Amino acid sequence: MRPELLMGMVATVAMAMAPVLVPWTTVMLTIALAVGLTVLGIVVLLRAGQISFGHGLFYAAGAYMVAFLVNARLSLDALILIPMGGLVATLIAVACGFFVVRYRDIFFAMINLSISMVAFSLLEKLYHITGGGDGMNVARPTLGGVRLGRIAFEAWMFYLTLAIAAFAAFLVSRYLASPLGKALEALKNNETRLEYLGVSGNRVLHIAYAISAALAGVSGAIIAIVNGHVSPEFAYWVRSGEFVFISILGGAGNVLGAFAGSIVFEAIRSYAAAFAADYWQTTLGLSLIAIIMFAPDGLTRLRSRRRRSPP
Amino acid sequence: MTPRSRPSRFKGSETGHRSMLVQTVLLAALDGLSYGAQVFLVAVGLSLIFGVLRIVNVAHGSLYAMGAYVTATCGLLIAAAGWSPWLAYPAMVLSACLVGIIVGGALEFGLLRRIYYKEQVLQLLLTFAVFMVLEDLQKAVWGVTPFFVNTPLGLLGTANILGINYSIYQLVVVPLVAVIVLVGLRHILRHTRMGRIVTAVADDRETSAAMGVDATRVYLLTFMTGASLAAFGGALASGSTSLAPGMGAGMTILSFAVAATAGLGRIEGAAVAALMIGLGRSIAVYIAPEFDAVVPYLIMFVVLLFKPTGLFSVPQTRKV
């Protein structure tokens, strides 16, 4: 058994005991694991050396999809709502992808940022559809056909999220180990040579983009259900920036790191909010600067291994 | 930031439907002109920095916001000291240079300088981190309640064009300043020794350094200039719009949209793109106000769809 798989299984089992041992952390862990899914999406793109400052878009797409479906009173089950969130985000990514994956580096990051900000302003301004800046409430759906009380619902949502996260982590590591995933690294190191092999760099990135959006959509859908509320801030650049931050925190490019990073992040946030709510972004920004300037080894995956040519 | 639509600018309702239309179109055009001029200043700073340093400064919008806030604070100080309100105009230039030299200088000297040899993604991340910090800082210093110092707008009064009262500040001063900056930058880059040095460094840093050019200094000066331009755009905006948190984030992306539409690093192109985007946006304000924030990006997407490197870009070879 590969060590990474073993570690993942140990982590999953350890996590599964959390609601029993420390019940008050259930919701926080659910949120952390859900956010970890989006971060995992960022990690996929980081493999290709690309950064998206706009993944809040897909996260918001999943969340709003759930909000719309719930408010349409179709009485859909959470087990249907969550995949729907992922599906919508994937469709958006496939559509936007035709445009976005033609770009790399700066343009890739900035175009993602602009698309997400467009979504943010639409979510905020189309008041009659999206509830404007106040967002929308999401009534608690049934889970597996059963209408649960708050405590039971939270516990089962945690296990559902844990299962989804573990499954996603497994699939993504298989994907990254596959030829298609290896092509992402090639894309980062030397795209021209990748294309000489007859592989389309754009298509490789397009697939990664869709996968990463699917993860973000599922993540947003879970958050919408657990939080019971969605708001345009989901698509705001601050949220997207947090995702990127966590992926760097988790050791850029590591599948388990995505979840470890987001658990640490959520834990710090729930305490930091009490002390320095006004300086939250400053804290994030300064730590990010510190990581980039002083601990580049934490970014091993981010740095290309080939000899650097001077700009 | 939004070009303001005020029905009260229309002179009476006895004018016919046709002249209403003419007035609306004219109003949209004037709004677009002054808005485009502001955006141009910010975008040209972004473009200049990219052209030389090969960095997209995500914190550019924060410099714009800081320029605006510092100018507004100066305006309040001038009023409090009882000095002539006309000092508000020189205060704009002064605040812009102050922000550009101090904040911009600190950024380049303290952070960016250390990562020029690392890959673009890291540079992008670093400026993004700076952006997060500056946005918070700005809230800490100036608070979150919007404020508005309209001395520069009020002093010059309004002009009447085809029955529309339009402020002279937005009609003449802002576009004129943009034109002066455009012509000035063009002149410096094309016809002076300094400009040739900057162009040389932008083209090949190592070779020009080998020929005795102090490339480090050129980088610092260019970044300061670009930052000052962003702050100057903010300073001009502070005269006609209310300042609120979040204005920086919007401007970072908008100025990138302009610079990308033109082709990153193109100075004259940025002016054309800023006008296009300014006009597009102000027309949207009158036709479909919900979509005014979407139009600039729509223009960018359409342009990039057909010309992936921007309207005025020069072709570059791919390195294997």
Side-chain angles (χ1 to χ4, degrees):
Chain A
M1 199 184 280
R2 288 180 303 118
E4 203 181 22
L5 187 64
L6 188 69
M7 260 176 68
M9 286 170 74
V10 170
T12 311
V13 172
M15 287 289 290
M17 286 191 277
V20 184
L21 299 175
V22 268
W24 47 271
T25 58
T26 311
V27 174
M28 193 200 85
L29 284 176
T30 314
I31 290 175
L33 285 172
V35 168
L37 284 169
T38 308
V39 177
L40 191 58
I42 303 273
V43 165
V44 169
L45 291 176
L46 274 176
R47 272 296 161 101
Q50 305 304 318
I51 272 194
S52 157
F53 285 139
H55 253 49
L57 164 71
F58 304 116
Y59 179 78
Y64 269 85
M65 182 66 189
V66 167
F68 288 142
L69 288 175
V70 168
N71 287 334
R73 306 198 183 286
L74 300 171
S75 53
L76 290 174
D77 195 86
L79 293 177
I80 297 170
L81 291 173
I82 293 172
M84 290 297 279
L87 184 70
V88 156
T90 314
L91 291 178
I92 293 175
V94 169
C96 291
F98 286 108
F99 178 63
V100 175
V101 301
R102 293 163 57 180
Y103 296 95
R104 303 287 179 271
D105 303 329
I106 290 173
F107 268 79
F108 185 84
M110 295 303 284
I111 285 175
N112 271 304
L113 181 59
S114 353
I115 296 179
S116 78
M117 288 303 278
V118 167
F120 169 73
S121 82
L122 285 180
L123 287 178
E124 207 173 34
K125 288 191 176 166
L126 298 176
Y127 186 85
H128 46 287
I129 308 174
T130 61
D134 299 335
M136 293 157 89
N137 282 324
V138 182
R140 190 189 309 145
T142 56
L143 183 57
V146 187
R147 188 159 290 285
L148 297 163
R150 194 174 68 89
I151 304 289
F153 182 76
E154 280 172 2
W156 281 109
M157 271 311 287
F158 169 77
Y159 285 114
L160 179 62
T161 309
L162 182 62
I164 294 175
F167 188 53
F170 175 70
L171 287 185
V172 167
S173 34
R174 289 304 296 268
Y175 162 64
L176 291 179
S178 73
L180 204 56
K182 291 286 176 203
L184 289 176
E185 281 174 52
L187 188 80
K188 177 172 72 176
N189 290 332
N190 197 324
E191 183 169 353
T192 314
R193 288 185 197 162
L194 176 72
E195 299 217 321
Y196 283 165
L197 293 174
V199 182
S200 157
N202 286 1
R203 182 173 298 165
V204 167
L205 189 58
H206 204 159
I207 294 168
Y209 193 63
I211 291 175
S212 111
L215 290 165
V218 168
S219 150
I222 295 172
I223 294 286
I225 293 172
V226 175
N227 259 353
H229 187 79
V230 295
S231 69
E233 267 74 44
F234 283 25
Y236 200 51
W237 64 267
V238 175
R239 191 60 67 99
S240 304
E242 285 178 1
F243 296 143
V244 172
F245 174 77
I246 301 170
S247 69
I248 304 292
L249 185 76
N254 190 330
V255 170
L256 288 178
F259 294 101
S262 72
I263 289 169
V264 170
F265 181 84
E266 281 300 322
I268 293 175
R269 169 149 72 182
S270 49
Y271 292 104
F275 299 115
D278 292 342
Y279 296 99
W280 178 237
Q281 282 178 46
T282 311
T283 317
L284 291 186
L286 289 179
S287 343
L288 196 53
I289 292 174
I291 296 176
I292 295 171
M293 304 301 282
F294 304 115
D297 288 345
L299 301 167
T300 33
R301 291 285 190 170
L302 203 61
R303 303 205 305 181
S304 54
R305 283 189 201 116
R306 87 198 139 107
R307 201 157 42 86
R308 285 196 298 273
S309 53
Chain B
M1 245 172 68
T2 324
R4 289 158 318 141
S5 54
R6 287 214 216 111
S8 61
R9 276 184 190 162
F10 295 118
K11 265 199 145 184
S13 56
E14 76 276 2
T15 42
H17 184 75
R18 197 183 159 78
S19 76
M20 263 306 257
L21 185 72
V22 172
Q23 285 188 338
T24 309
V25 170
L26 186 64
L27 209 48
L30 294 179
D31 277 350
L33 181 71
S34 93
Y35 188 66
Q38 267 171 35
V39 176
F40 163 73
L41 287 174
V42 187
V44 84
L46 188 82
S47 229
L48 183 69
I49 292 175
F50 179 82
V52 178
L53 282 72
R54 300 279 137 188
I55 278 183
V56 163
N57 177 23
V58 182
H60 208 63
S62 303
L63 295 167
Y64 160 84
M66 284 182 117
Y69 273 108
V70 171
T71 305
T73 310
C74 281
L76 291 178
L77 287 179
I78 289 169
W83 293 339
S84 160
W86 291 94
L87 283 175
Y89 301 105
M92 284 181 175
V93 182
L94 197 71
S95 330
C97 292
L98 220 63
V99 170
I101 290 170
I102 295 176
V103 183
L107 269 182
E108 205 279 340
F109 190 79
L111 296 173
L112 294 178
R113 181 167 291 186
R114 288 151 217 272
I115 56 156
Y116 288 133
Y117 287 95
K118 297 190 178 169
E119 62 261 50
Q120 279 191 331
V121 176
L122 277 183
Q123 298 168 352
L124 208 56
L125 264 177
L126 188 71
T127 57
F128 188 78
V130 171
F131 175 52
M132 288 179 121
V133 175
L134 288 183
E135 288 286 289
D136 246 18
L137 213 67
Q138 175 196 313
K139 274 187 234 164
V141 176
W142 286 285
V144 289
T145 40
F147 74 99
F148 184 31
V149 180
N150 64 350
T151 332
L153 191 71
L155 273 179
L156 288 173
T158 58
N160 192 309
I161 309 161
L162 295 178
I164 304 168
N165 283 323
Y166 208 85
S167 76
I168 292 180
Y169 176 73
Q170 279 172 298
L171 183 68
V172 181
V173 176
V174 176
L176 192 68
V177 167
V179 170
I180 292 171
V181 167
L182 174 64
V183 174
L185 262 182
R186 219 186 113 95
H187 176 76
I188 291 172
L189 286 176
R190 299 274 158 78
H191 302 289
T192 63
R193 191 180 139 77
M194 186 65 209
R196 251 173 277 149
I197 291 176
V198 170
T199 320
V201 173
D203 206 43
D204 192 331
R205 184 183 166 145
E206 288 205 331
T207 310
S208 44
M211 296 196 155
V213 173
D214 187 352
T216 316
R217 193 166 140 263
V218 172
Y219 268 39
L220 180 64
L221 287 180
T222 308
F223 194 84
M224 282 177 170
T225 312
S228 302
L229 285 171
F232 195 37
L236 284 178
S238 79
S240 57
T241 44
S242 64
L243 313 179
M247 63 187 287
M251 190 46 95
T252 289
I253 313 173
L254 197 66
S255 59
F256 176 79
V258 168
T261 306
L264 276 175
R266 314 302 298 167
I267 307 282
E268 296 87 351
V272 179
L275 262 186
M276 268 167 62
I277 282 177
L279 285 175
R281 180 171 170 145
S282 59
I283 289 168
V285 167
Y286 291 96
I287 298 173
E290 296 94 345
F291 296 101
D292 69 330
V294 181
V295 170
Y297 309 112
L298 221 56
I299 295 175
M300 172 178 83
F301 295 148
V302 170
V303 167
L304 292 186
L305 216 51
F306 293 102
K307 276 207 83 181
T309 47
L311 282 178
F312 305 95
S313 60
V314 278
Q316 280 181 334
T317 46
R318 270 205 325 185
K319 287 192 183 117
V320 179

